[in-house]
Amino acid sequence: MTATSAPRTDLLTLEVVELIGEIVARYHQEYEEAASRHGLTGAQARVLGLLSLGPLPMRQVAQRLKCEPSNVTGIVDRLEARDLVERQPSPGDRRVKVAAATTEGRRVARALRESLDFAREPLAGLSQEERVAFRDMLRRMLGADVAAG
């Protein structure tokens, strides 16, 4: 064991793991409640939020959300029925369809994001330097899965 590593079963590591689990659970609970207030399931809200950043092929949506493409197809169908998402030809390959948030979809995604206080409020209490350090630690914990930016 190196000087910078800690045993995986020390009390501090166990406490940190428990705290991360509690944060994740509380975030998901708030996200589900916010989605429900907008008449969406959590999965629909996640797809809408992702598409509000820009159009994507459904296979990429599935990859980013780590789910099956067939699940994304059903979610996009339901969002499309509510005029929150539309299918469009891909600008790069007109044979490929992309899903894109409509103007109303982007409005709903923005309102949903703005209603999520649990993560935002505590982070606002940290200094800029603390938030940067926290972000960098999270990126390091996630390894190569998260691109720096």
Side-chain angles (χ1 to χ4, degrees):
M1 181 167 21
T2 66
T4 59
S5 66
R8 293 174 189 226
T9 57
D10 71 286
L11 292 178
L12 178 59
T13 299
L14 293 174
E15 181 182 9
V16 170
V17 168
E18 288 297 318
L19 290 169
I20 290 171
E22 187 174 332
I23 287 169
V24 168
R26 288 177 62 186
Y27 177 80
H28 280 295
Q29 178 184 351
E30 182 182 43
Y31 197 87
E32 293 288 332
E33 290 169 359
S36 179
R37 286 192 298 274
H38 292 280
L40 300 169
T41 65
Q44 290 170 340
R46 285 186 288 283
V47 168
L48 183 60
L50 185 57
L51 294 176
S52 73
L53 302 175
L56 288 171
M58 289 197 275
R59 183 167 300 283
Q60 281 188 15
V61 173
Q63 288 170 343
R64 291 193 185 178
L65 298 178
K66 296 176 179 26
C67 67
E68 292 296 318
S70 60
N71 291 347
V72 172
T73 299
I75 292 168
V76 168
D77 287 346
R78 288 184 287 284
L79 292 170
E80 193 172 35
R82 292 189 49 196
D83 295 321
L84 298 174
V85 167
E86 61 187 1
R87 288 177 170 90
Q88 307 170 337
S90 171
D93 183 349
R94 297 189 63 76
R95 296 169 298 173
V96 174
K97 293 281 188 190
V98 297
T102 62
T103 301
E104 176 64 6
R106 287 188 298 278
R107 185 197 67 74
V108 169
R110 185 175 47 255
L112 193 136
R113 246 187 325 271
E114 290 171 357
S115 71
L116 296 174
D117 294 329
F118 171 69
R120 189 175 46 243
E121 295 293 326
L123 288 173
L126 300 177
S127 70
Q128 174 77 15
E129 295 79 22
E130 289 171 323
R131 288 194 310 274
V132 168
F134 187 52
R135 179 206 58 201
D136 292 348
M137 284 186 276
L138 292 171
R139 284 181 174 168
R140 198 166 103 208
M141 287 176 69
L142 291 171
D145 290 345
V146 177

